[in-house]
Amino acid sequence: MTEEMKKRIDQVYERWTNGLCPGGQVLIREKGEIVYDRCFGYSDIENRIPITDQTVFHVASVSKQFTVMGAMLLWEDGKLDIDADVRAYIPEFIHFEEAVTVRDLMNNDTGIRDFFELADRSGVVNCDALDQDYVLRLIGKQKGLNFPPRSRHLYSNSNFILLASIVEKISGMTLGAFLDKRIFKPLGMTQTAVRDKYWTCLDHRSASYQDNGYNYYYAPLTYSIYGTTSLNTTAHDLMKWMDNYRTPKICSEKTIQVMTTAAVLDGNAPNTYACGLREDYLEGHRYIKHAGEDAGFRTFTFRLMDDDIDIVKLANCDTILSDPSTMEVARILLDLPSAPAPELPIDENFDVETAPGFYYGKDGAAAVTIVKYKDGLAVEQQWGPTPLTHIGGNLYRAGHLDVWYLLGERDARYVNAEETILLAKSNDNPVDEALGQATAGRYFSEEAEAVYTVMWEDGHLYLEHIRRGRSLLHPTDDGRFAAEYDRTTYVRFIWAGEKVVGLTLTGARVLELPFKKVEGGII
């Protein structure tokens, strides 16, 4: 790596050098040699504690590849058949009819509903504590899947909770103890542990923050769940793990091949997901990667397989997006041009009076509410309104973040360096009285153990849950309704002739969760 490359990489993380701010660790290795090793910002901005190479980060979904390795080591021991139905190991948690294998869990193609969204539908809110037993009971209530196993890939954290249970049942140890014995200690990962109780104290552990483009907010993490998340470690320890992909020390070459090869789905449906990893190409250069996002933590592991380059990025804030920043670093190392900026179809004839309102993602992704704020516009968020800077036409930016909004009644979208989400602005026209009377009532789900009430008032429909609160139901352009909850919730009513008999709730990772209408309102 040249000095010029180092300067360009420094610029990628420049926002972590702007005064008292969260930050992270960035570690790069080329052909076995560390060539870039920097720490930025503060692990605790309230107590002015800088991030050092000893700072420990919660790495969120980067944990998944470790759980997979635990299962693969049991496979190597001859104790686990990864192509067996999971009922052979954990029948107590499986109550759907379809056959799902251990390999399907690892490849994230089971169709099993994501427990985070299920918990959200049940009424769990962001500040609630989640524990392993509750999550397993919730998964065990599911009688249906999002889709037939192996027909497509859809990210679901439930798969790795179940995989952790299989590892524990076969090994007779907790997941953390098993991984410590078979992975952490053999690789010399002395600052790595599975934090399976949120009250556990770990030396040098970083706090977590969220950035709205103007201010930092403390983002608590109250997880006592593991397998899918809750590994805590440092960049230097993670690089020891990455070295095992380069030169296997704790497993066979066959295991590495299985873990780094994307699953083949039925009908050869498109897929880049392997075993807790994504396999793809950057302009012909094969890589494996995985991101992690919980509370404010943003983590990333990336390996260019044939170029023998590893990048580890750990952060305690969402100021710098993991995937685009790491891919830009990879481009610098490979002497490739920067990725083109997303095209923004700016409407120069935009009328700002059309901007405020509720926008829902056309593909079922996140929704936003835009409000008038002082002399301009803002996005409503949990900590209050986030002011938007007007760039031109209908284009607005969220402070210093690489987050933009195209607003108005046409071509609306949410854009960042990772993705573009097409948005539609709800017209919120009054609901027909016949529809209002037919849909009003109480609805119950056995699989979520949740009750929602639909009300028709003043010509509009509302959805209410005792913990999630009350939300106006916004008509969408596909005949459904969108609710304004923290996680996007789409409502579709189920008809039997002229009578509404139920509804379904759909999000990004839970599709068509059924609720039955309760006759007489009594469950």
Side-chain angles (χ1 to χ4, degrees):
M1 176 186 291
T2 67
E3 290 302 315
E4 177 61 26
M5 286 179 174
K6 290 182 180 179
K7 290 179 181 178
R8 291 175 62 192
I9 294 171
D10 286 345
Q11 290 173 357
V12 173
Y13 303 105
E14 188 174 12
R15 285 187 191 144
W16 284 345
T17 63
N18 294 333
L20 182 64
C21 63
Q25 301 168 342
V26 180
L27 193 61
I28 302 173
R29 182 177 60 192
E30 290 185 291
K31 295 180 171 49
E33 179 184 352
I34 299 296
V35 295
Y36 187 92
D37 183 0
R38 284 208 60 182
C39 297
F40 303 85
Y42 290 78
S43 68
D44 185 333
I45 60 177
E46 295 163 288
N47 295 296
R48 307 315 200 252
I49 301 175
I51 290 173
T52 70
D53 60 6
Q54 299 298 300
T55 302
V56 172
F57 292 81
H58 170 100
V59 299
S61 289
V62 168
S63 309
K64 291 176 169 64
Q65 55 196 282
F66 288 84
T67 306
V68 171
M69 178 61 80
M72 292 301 296
L73 291 174
L74 292 172
W75 173 71
E76 288 189 9
D77 293 344
K79 297 178 179 179
L80 173 64
D81 179 359
I82 61 174
D83 292 308
D85 192 307
V86 295
R87 288 173 177 80
Y89 304 103
I90 48 170
E92 64 271 30
F93 301 128
I94 309 301
H95 293 102
F96 45 82
E97 295 180 357
E98 296 85 347
V100 167
T101 69
V102 177
R103 191 190 294 266
D104 294 332
L105 295 179
M106 299 191 299
N107 287 332
N108 242 342
D109 58 21
T110 62
I112 297 174
R113 297 164 179 151
D114 181 82
F115 73 81
F116 279 120
E117 286 198 13
L118 286 171
D120 180 74
R121 302 294 180 264
S122 299
V124 172
V125 295
N126 286 341
C127 60
D128 286 340
L130 285 175
D131 65 56
Q132 198 82 347
D133 288 341
Y134 163 70
V135 168
L136 284 167
R137 290 196 302 272
L138 187 59
I139 296 170
K141 285 188 170 293
Q142 304 311 300
K143 298 178 181 178
L145 301 177
N146 283 329
F147 50 78
R150 296 169 297 284
S151 64
R152 58 178 286 198
H153 160 73
L154 182 63
Y155 201 92
S156 175
N157 288 281
S158 299
N159 293 319
F160 299 90
I161 291 285
L162 295 174
L163 189 63
S165 293
I166 292 172
V167 171
E168 290 186 327
K169 181 170 285 191
I170 294 175
S171 69
M173 306 169 69
T174 66
L175 180 71
F178 182 76
L179 297 186
D180 186 63
K181 178 181 179 181
R182 298 292 298 270
I183 298 176
F184 306 154
K185 280 187 170 64
L187 292 181
M189 300 173 68
T190 58
Q191 291 183 278
T192 302
V194 175
R195 188 171 179 254
D196 57 9
K197 297 291 185 291
Y198 75 86
W199 53 80
T200 301
C201 292
L202 296 179
D203 290 344
H204 311 296
R205 192 173 68 88
S206 174
S208 164
Y209 301 92
Q210 289 180 319
D211 183 0
N212 74 344
Y214 301 91
N215 300 298
Y216 301 111
Y217 297 88
Y218 178 62
L221 189 65
T222 53
Y223 289 174
S224 296
I225 53 176
Y226 55 88
T228 190
T229 185
S230 294
L231 185 78
N232 282 250
T233 188
T234 68
H236 278 273
D237 263 17
L238 265 184
M239 195 59 81
K240 295 174 184 176
W241 163 254
M242 298 299 288
D243 191 52
N244 191 66
Y245 290 122
R246 180 174 183 263
T247 307
K249 299 178 178 66
I250 59 169
C251 65
S252 66
E253 288 280 1
K254 177 64 176 176
T255 286
I256 297 299
Q257 181 182 352
V258 170
M259 289 184 61
T260 59
T261 303
V264 178
L265 302 180
D266 292 347
N268 290 318
N271 182 49
T272 62
Y273 204 88
C275 298
L277 295 164
R278 292 189 183 275
E279 180 208 18
D280 211 341
Y281 291 83
L282 173 62
E283 297 195 17
H285 298 263
R286 179 172 175 253
Y287 66 76
I288 55 171
K289 69 177 183 180
H290 210 283
E293 297 184 9
D294 279 335
F297 291 108
R298 297 294 184 268
T299 62
F300 207 79
T301 58
F302 180 89
R303 173 165 174 77
L304 287 157
M305 301 292 283
D306 300 325
D307 299 276
D308 197 8
I309 294 174
D310 298 286
I311 304 171
V312 172
K313 177 247 185 186
L314 305 182
N316 64 339
C317 193
D318 54 353
T319 302
I320 299 174
L321 296 174
S322 295
D323 198 309
S325 63
T326 305
M327 299 304 275
E328 176 61 18
V329 170
R331 286 176 174 275
I332 292 170
L333 296 171
L334 295 172
D335 196 25
L336 297 173
S338 296
E343 294 185 9
L344 303 175
I346 300 173
D347 181 4
E348 299 294 350
N349 298 317
F350 166 69
D351 179 1
V352 69
E353 295 299 320
T354 67
F358 179 77
Y359 295 76
Y360 58 90
K362 288 186 176 181
D363 59 355
V368 295
T369 298
I370 303 296
V371 297
K372 291 184 177 180
Y373 182 75
K374 296 182 178 179
D375 295 329
L377 300 173
V379 179
E380 279 286 11
Q381 294 182 300
Q382 68 182 83
W383 44 73
T386 295
L388 294 177
T389 301
H390 187 211
I391 305 301
N394 64 331
L395 180 63
Y396 290 78
R397 184 176 181 179
H400 59 248
L401 298 179
D402 292 328
V403 173
W404 296 268
Y405 296 88
L406 286 168
L407 303 175
E409 296 178 346
R410 60 177 186 176
D411 288 332
R413 59 195 67 194
Y414 166 88
V415 180
N416 64 35
E418 286 182 327
E419 61 183 345
T420 294
I421 298 175
L422 299 179
L423 302 174
K425 187 171 183 290
S426 177
N427 57 37
D428 291 335
N429 291 331
V431 172
D432 177 80
E433 180 177 358
L435 176 61
Q437 292 181 346
T439 55
R442 302 183 78 202
Y443 297 79
F444 174 68
S445 168
E446 293 182 0
E447 293 172 280
E449 286 202 346
V451 177
Y452 285 82
T453 301
V454 175
M455 293 160 286
W456 181 63
E457 297 179 5
D458 302 321
H460 295 281
L461 286 174
Y462 295 85
L463 186 67
E464 185 172 76
H465 183 277
I466 193 169
R467 295 212 69 204
R468 301 184 81 196
R470 188 180 192 188
S471 169
L472 177 66
L473 284 180
H474 302 267
T476 70
D477 58 6
D478 61 3
R480 298 182 297 174
F481 294 83
E484 298 179 25
Y485 291 134
D486 289 341
R487 296 179 189 270
T488 304
T489 303
Y490 292 90
V491 179
R492 182 176 65 84
F493 291 104
I494 302 172
W495 294 78
E498 297 182 356
K499 184 178 181 181
V500 173
V501 296
L503 60 78
T504 64
L505 300 184
T506 290
R509 297 174 181 172
V510 171
L511 311 180
E512 303 287 345
L513 181 67
F515 285 70
K516 293 181 180 179
K517 193 172 185 183
V518 182
E519 294 297 334
I522 300 175
I523 299 173

